[in-house]
Amino acid sequence: MHDHQVRPQVRDTYGTGDLSALSIFAGGFINFGYWRDIPLDGELTVEQRVASQEALYDVALDALGVRPGDRVLEVGSGRGLGAARVLRHDPALVRGLDLLPEQVARARATTTDPRVAFVVGSSADMPFGDGGFDRLLSVEAAQHFDDLAAFTRESARVLAPGGSLAVTTFFAADDRAGPPLSELLATFASGLDLPHPIGDFLADLRAAGFADVTATSIGEHVWRGFDRWIELGEYRDSWGRNWVTAVARGLVDYHLVTARKPAGSQP
């Protein structure tokens, strides 16, 4: 999506539309949540749904090892609520990058902290100088990126030597998963979500010069809780219940992907 090209499905969902207005994404973070510490055998509250989404950010931030004074970039920052989780680690600055001006405007309204700024731009062509960040995260956004290889190259460019990356989202099991995922899940059928194979993404990271590239399945703490939240709400009879079917069929899973830019590499 170079030159800020936005697919209509993405603009309709996150720009002119506002996915966070749906009860399924209560709280505005717009992610499936990380439910490990939330009991799932009874009713669930909106507060617990919000906590699950905050916890997914914390999984990425813990993996990054954000330290006081770090310069942190979030790619696909959405409504900007993740910045508050980053600020708990006392960074020197936080930048949020999002393709949609509408989302950036919403994000800018969430904080007055002078360390935080939100910028319109593409994951494939980031409007930042070389080596300007120590940590880079992306939480449940990469499934919308048209060009993951370009994202990995740009991530390597904007990270300082020794910097680290963490991406959490759902990835296809392989390049054959696209058609069956489209049969099960409307967001794949419409083209909103793209069935990026996890193996291809890891290969792209290595090709971009990253080291210690690792993918960890965290689906056991995502799918059951997210499905339970759907089951208890107004979308209980929707196609959204098919996520667990897709997982059971081995078509998709939720991953935490981490990587490091070698300390001796060029900024």
Side-chain angles (χ1 to χ4, degrees):
M1 292 191 283
H2 295 275
D3 300 322
H4 296 187
Q5 296 297 313
V6 185
R7 285 182 284 117
Q9 306 94 319
V10 174
R11 181 170 297 284
D12 292 346
T13 302
Y14 296 102
T16 53
D18 182 4
L19 197 61
S20 70
L22 302 181
S23 62
I24 198 170
F25 292 114
F29 283 88
I30 317 180
N31 69 58
F32 289 180
Y34 186 80
W35 301 81
R36 184 189 63 188
D37 299 325
I38 299 173
L40 301 177
D41 52 357
E43 296 298 311
L44 292 171
T45 66
V46 169
E47 290 75 18
Q48 287 172 312
R49 177 66 178 110
V50 173
S52 78
Q53 296 175 88
E54 292 174 335
L56 188 59
Y57 266 91
D58 291 344
V59 167
L61 292 168
D62 289 347
L64 279 177
V66 178
R67 300 169 299 191
D70 277 348
R71 302 161 297 170
V72 181
L73 171 63
E74 181 181 4
V75 180
S77 50
R79 295 176 60 89
L81 300 182
R85 306 305 293 179
V86 181
L87 289 174
R88 291 157 58 97
H89 296 262
D90 195 24
L93 62 85
V94 182
R95 295 293 178 264
L97 180 69
D98 202 277
L99 192 60
L100 291 162
E102 297 91 338
Q103 287 289 66
V104 170
R106 293 167 185 143
R108 287 172 176 167
T110 66
T111 182
T112 59
D113 193 300
R115 294 172 293 174
V116 179
F118 296 96
V119 179
V120 177
S122 169
S123 62
D125 188 16
M126 300 182 195
F128 304 108
D130 296 355
F133 298 97
D134 306 296
R135 314 289 175 214
L136 185 152
L137 74 153
S138 182
V139 176
E140 206 166 304
Q143 74 275 10
H144 301 315
F145 298 169
D146 279 355
D147 191 342
L148 280 186
F151 165 62
T152 63
R153 292 191 296 268
E154 282 291 273
S155 296
R157 181 183 65 80
V158 303
L159 277 171
S164 57
L165 166 149
V167 173
T168 65
T169 195
F170 46 90
F171 289 91
D174 54 41
D175 58 8
R176 298 168 296 178
L181 283 172
S182 292
E183 292 175 5
L184 287 169
L185 297 160
T187 49
F188 285 105
S190 71
L192 175 64
D193 292 331
L194 302 176
H196 297 305
I198 182 62
D200 288 3
F201 182 48
L202 302 184
D204 288 340
L205 285 165
R206 296 186 181 103
F210 282 98
D212 301 332
V213 176
T214 304
T216 303
S217 170
I218 58 172
E220 66 175 314
H221 301 305
V222 174
W223 301 118
R224 182 169 171 251
F226 185 55
D227 183 67
R228 178 63 174 160
W229 177 252
I230 298 174
E231 179 186 15
L232 294 171
E234 60 188 293
Y235 299 102
R236 64 178 60 87
D237 297 320
S238 74
W239 60 265
R241 303 298 305 282
N242 288 340
W243 282 105
V244 292
T245 301
V247 172
R249 288 175 55 182
L251 299 171
V252 68
D253 200 5
Y254 211 102
H255 293 275
L256 165 66
V257 177
T258 56
R260 177 181 57 84
K261 182 174 178 176
S265 56
Q266 293 297 313

